[in-house]
Amino acid sequence: MLYNTLRQYEYIVAVADTGSLTGAASLLNVSQPSLSVAITRVEAQLGQPVFLRRKGSSVNITPYGHGVIEGARALLQQAEEIERGPAKAPPFVIGFFEDIAPWYLAPALERMHFQFPTMRFKAREGRFSDLADDLSEGRVNLAISYDVGFEGRFDRRVVQTIAPVAFLSRDHPLARRSSLELAELATHPVLLFDEDLSEHFVRGLFDKLRLSPTIKQRVRSLELMRSLAAHGAGVGISYARPPGDVSYDGKPIVTVPISTAEAAADISLIWSELRNPEPRFSEVLDALSQL
């Protein structure tokens, strides 16, 4: 809890700058007795003297007081900067769900820099819960993500609807299929992402279809999922589909689309209803909708 006010710290800095209570009182246009009382109260709250005061002489700053005065100067300067407002507009921050960032982040920033050369843009990656918090607390202006876990006061615009895929080893019995249903995958051990909302979403799909798959392993990264699937450790289920048919460790891998209609998911632009209005927000929204 803060007990001292900015005005009291202003008194302390004025005494330090003028070297006396009389000079500080004149500078601040306050009475010397009220100034003396204010400083005494600050020192009592801090538990140590800031100044050594002797009747009829100038004040001396204590070793402890030098640190207090330095901090008070910084505090007053920060308060002044807040009142003046930022010297320039803050960057427009775009958040990306980390699994789709490799597909969207670079093209989005490239488009933004080209279409809005006078604006500054920054990117931020995160999981579902991270992005929801960042949007709610103003660290991110707009997010590009699967629409999972954004409960409450959020608006969105769908950019794309995509189907998930299954990652399988080349010798898996389902590897030669052109497409698969979730019901077919539920009879095989599956690999899911170890992220609460992501797993909850996929398990919700199985529950909706009254399927009970065996969760063989949970993973933190897309490439680990692909590697395990390539080695026959289970069937990976993902909404991100990297190009290529080889995992990081060189094993062949087969990627098969999942055609179950209920499994389709939206990639959306998501923003908080409570955000501060940015002058070109709608233009940025329209530009990102074209990715």
Side-chain angles (χ1 to χ4, degrees):
M1 182 180 294
L2 297 177
Y3 295 95
N4 300 319
T5 66
L6 287 176
R7 185 63 171 168
Q8 289 171 317
Y9 286 120
E10 188 178 11
Y11 289 168
I12 287 177
V13 171
V15 172
D17 288 343
T18 62
S20 70
L21 293 176
T22 303
S26 176
L27 177 67
L28 298 171
N29 196 27
V30 297
S31 69
Q32 183 173 328
S34 63
L35 180 66
S36 179
V37 168
I39 290 177
T40 299
R41 287 176 178 171
V42 172
E43 291 176 324
Q45 183 60 48
L46 295 175
Q48 296 189 53
V50 177
F51 302 107
L52 294 178
R53 289 173 275 172
R54 296 182 178 88
K55 190 173 182 179
S57 63
S58 60
V59 299
N60 293 312
I61 304 172
T62 66
Y64 171 76
H66 281 287
V68 172
I69 292 165
E70 181 181 357
R73 288 189 196 279
L75 186 63
L76 292 170
Q77 181 179 357
Q78 185 178 18
E80 184 179 350
E81 291 173 353
I82 290 173
E83 290 187 349
R84 283 201 308 261
K88 57 182 178 180
F92 190 104
V93 182
I94 307 171
F96 297 84
F97 179 60
E98 63 184 22
D99 285 1
I100 64 173
W103 284 267
Y104 284 90
L105 193 154
L109 290 184
E110 184 178 41
R111 179 182 288 271
M112 294 302 99
H113 292 317
F114 176 76
Q115 291 194 217
F116 307 96
T118 62
M119 293 178 65
R120 293 187 299 140
F121 291 90
K122 290 181 64 177
R124 187 182 182 101
E125 299 173 67
R127 308 301 291 176
F128 294 123
S129 57
D130 298 329
L131 291 178
D133 289 344
D134 286 342
L135 287 169
S136 297
E137 297 171 15
R139 289 184 293 271
V140 164
N141 301 81
L142 183 69
I144 301 178
S145 174
Y146 301 114
D147 196 352
V148 175
F150 294 94
E151 305 297 337
R153 304 195 67 174
F154 293 101
D155 284 329
R156 64 262 294 154
R157 180 187 292 183
V158 176
V159 175
Q160 185 181 7
T161 300
I162 63 172
V165 296
F167 300 126
L168 309 105
S169 63
R170 191 163 59 181
D171 57 358
H172 193 282
L174 299 176
R176 295 184 180 276
R177 298 285 299 278
S178 59
S179 66
L180 292 166
E181 295 284 342
L182 283 177
E184 297 174 280
L185 298 178
T187 61
H188 299 267
V190 299
L191 310 168
L192 297 181
F193 286 111
D194 185 18
E195 202 263 353
D196 288 344
L197 291 171
S198 178
E199 180 179 348
H200 178 75
F201 178 74
V202 176
R203 291 187 70 112
L205 289 174
F206 282 114
D207 291 343
K208 184 177 180 180
L209 298 170
R210 298 183 180 181
L211 302 172
S212 301
T214 299
I215 310 301
K216 180 69 175 294
Q217 190 164 335
R218 295 167 177 83
V219 298
R220 297 288 297 176
S221 72
L222 177 62
E223 280 308 320
L224 180 55
M225 175 183 282
R226 294 178 81 242
S227 176
L228 288 169
H231 284 268
V235 177
I237 299 176
S238 170
Y239 282 85
R241 180 178 184 171
D245 55 4
V246 178
S247 66
Y248 266 15
D249 59 347
K251 288 285 288 185
I253 188 168
V254 177
T255 304
V256 181
I258 296 173
S259 56
T260 305
E262 293 88 342
D266 293 333
I267 295 178
S268 298
L269 301 174
I270 302 170
W271 63 95
S272 171
E273 291 180 353
L274 305 178
R275 66 178 180 83
N276 291 327
E278 296 93 2
R280 306 192 70 179
F281 183 85
S282 61
E283 296 176 59
V284 172
L285 190 65
D286 290 340
L288 289 173
S289 298
Q290 300 170 27
L291 288 175

